[in-house]
Amino acid sequence: MSAQPGGFDPRLVAARPDLAAVHLKGRVAAARFVEGTVKRVIAATTPMRRTPAHDQPVDTEVLHGERIVVYESTEEGWAWGQLELDQYVGWISAAALGDPGAAPTHRVAALRTFVFPGPDIKLPPLAALTFGSRLAIVRAERAFAVTDAGGYVAVRHLAPVDRIEPDFVATARRFTGVPYLWGGRSSLGLDCSGLVQIALQAAGIACPRDSDMQAGFGKPVSFSGDLAALRRGDLVCWQGHIGILAEPGRLLHANAFHMEVAEEPLAQAIARIKAGGLEVTTVRRLN
């Protein structure tokens, strides 16, 4: 996706010719500038799109509890704004949003968990939340944590929001077998850059959303086809694709060939993707 006039990337800058965030006044041209209103996602997940239409491709997926600054709401039920977590800009369903409420205290640390209406696993669940979802917990009741919205979640499926998962490779490996889904960021389906982002975020590393952004993340590693130069945790990048070196010589990636998160020999992946016309563009190292 190309940058808009003035060199700004429309995925990361809340500016359009007719409307922009007030903090951009003097930096971009727009017909009007607005403050914006903070909302949080109350749906289990919700798609974010470049244009406000349900039949358009999904750019990214927003998880329960994430915050968004909304700059425009339409009569058709759309909200245009910018996510707080990774600064992504786009349109989401206004029905998926609620008041910001209390600050999140915990995140879902299991791949998936259920929200029950009471402290009883026999009750029909209200929702299913995915890894990385954020919750404000107000108290504990037996084996459950109670959210500020009155839902009950298994305590052992949660972690404090500031607790990090130090091994992002191990975190990414937990998603092995999860279906490939363009724009996805959940344990029900994700794409290549979604897998990288969700694993790094769990490790406390702020990570951009898309593969072209991630290709400039970290430090470049000199790579001329020598696989021995790479090490665990390196990000291997192609134009429009990215994967994680799970261990020397093995690539972990969400990909449309396997249609899932899969681990395979790196040499095999490089050869297959090269046969499709793409070479490795860069390798990035985070430490």
Side-chain angles (χ1 to χ4, degrees):
M1 184 179 295
S2 60
Q4 63 187 21
F8 293 109
D9 188 332
R11 296 171 295 177
L12 298 175
V13 178
R16 308 182 328 228
D18 62 321
L19 179 68
V22 71
H23 67 267
L24 296 172
K25 197 168 188 178
R27 296 175 53 200
V28 301
R32 63 190 179 97
F33 295 86
V34 297
E35 285 283 355
T37 303
V38 177
K39 298 286 186 178
R40 70 169 166 175
V41 173
I42 57 174
T45 67
T46 191
M48 174 174 272
R49 294 177 165 89
R50 187 57 35 196
T51 55
H54 292 292
D55 60 352
Q56 293 302 299
V58 175
D59 280 358
T60 190
E61 186 176 30
V62 193
L63 306 185
H64 182 88
E66 292 186 6
R67 261 60 173 175
I68 180 173
V69 181
V70 174
Y71 295 105
E72 181 184 21
S73 297
T74 72
E75 293 181 356
E76 294 75 24
W78 291 95
W80 182 76
Q82 186 166 32
L83 300 176
E84 288 190 347
L85 194 60
D86 61 11
Q87 303 301 300
Y88 216 85
V89 175
W91 293 91
I92 67 176
S93 171
L97 302 178
D99 292 334
T105 60
H106 290 73
R107 61 177 178 81
V108 175
L111 283 186
R112 287 172 292 277
T113 193
F114 292 109
V115 181
F116 296 96
D120 186 347
I121 61 172
K122 295 180 181 179
L123 294 173
L126 301 171
L129 302 183
T130 186
F131 183 93
S133 299
R134 296 175 174 226
L135 298 165
I137 300 301
V138 295
R139 70 179 190 276
E141 189 170 327
R142 301 206 298 269
F144 292 90
V146 185
T147 73
D148 63 341
Y152 288 71
V153 182
V155 168
R156 62 174 58 239
H157 285 176
L158 302 178
V161 73
D162 57 354
R163 180 182 296 173
I164 66 169
E165 306 271 354
D167 187 346
F168 77 87
V169 175
T171 299
R173 264 181 163 157
R174 294 174 59 191
F175 288 81
T176 299
V178 170
Y180 179 86
L181 178 65
W182 179 269
R185 288 179 61 241
S186 82
S187 59
L188 296 177
L190 34 63
D191 61 17
C192 63
S193 53
L195 175 66
V196 170
Q197 187 189 52
I198 205 76
L200 288 175
Q201 286 175 339
I205 301 171
C207 178
R209 174 60 180 94
D210 292 339
S211 60
D212 64 319
M213 303 172 185
Q214 294 169 356
F217 198 50
K219 298 178 181 179
V221 175
S222 179
F223 176 71
S224 57
D226 179 13
L227 303 188
L230 307 184
R231 71 187 191 197
R232 186 178 187 272
D234 285 346
L235 304 180
V236 185
C237 309
W238 291 261
Q239 183 179 350
H241 188 58
I242 190 167
I244 302 169
L245 204 66
E247 59 183 69
R250 295 192 64 81
L251 185 74
L252 179 70
H253 57 153
N255 66 92
F257 176 78
H258 295 97
M259 282 306 295
E260 65 181 17
V261 177
E263 187 175 323
E264 64 177 317
L266 175 60
Q268 176 178 296
I270 289 175
R272 184 179 65 251
I273 295 172
K274 182 177 181 179
L278 297 177
E279 302 270 4
V280 172
T281 56
T282 185
V283 176
R284 314 298 293 192
R285 185 165 292 164
L286 304 183
N287 51 46

